[in-house]
Amino acid sequence: MPEHNIVADVSGRIWKLEVAEGQQVEEGDTLLIVESMKMEIPVEAPAAGTVLRILAAEGDMVTDEQVLVVLASA
């Protein structure tokens, strides 16, 4: 199964995780929400698959292009 690295589009703080490792997701599902400049920015799954690893926790500061989630395509 191909793996996808899901990255942050902006620098900010992880406001909320919406998934857990091992969870099945569909394309477009929200994986987590990044808070940046008082805006909540959803990070969505680019394809259906399984969440292999979550590389950030709620409250963590993240930078633009930082890998947040590894997703295995279905």
Side-chain angles (χ1 to χ4, degrees):
M1 278 192 261
E3 293 183 3
H4 298 279
N5 289 330
I6 313 304
V7 299
D9 293 328
V10 296
S11 296
R13 183 177 305 277
I14 301 297
W15 182 71
K16 186 173 185 183
L17 291 174
E18 296 283 342
V19 295
E21 289 183 359
Q23 183 173 333
Q24 298 290 318
V25 296
E26 296 298 322
E27 182 177 346
D29 284 356
T30 298
L31 303 174
L32 53 90
I33 299 171
V34 176
E35 188 275 324
S36 180
M37 298 179 64
K38 300 188 182 192
M39 293 176 32
E40 296 173 7
I41 302 160
V43 176
E44 299 177 346
T50 303
V51 177
L52 292 181
R53 289 182 297 286
I54 298 174
L55 304 173
E58 288 182 6
D60 285 357
M61 291 298 296
V62 297
T63 59
D64 184 32
E65 297 300 316
Q66 179 177 335
V67 177
L68 304 174
V69 176
V70 179
L71 182 72
S73 295

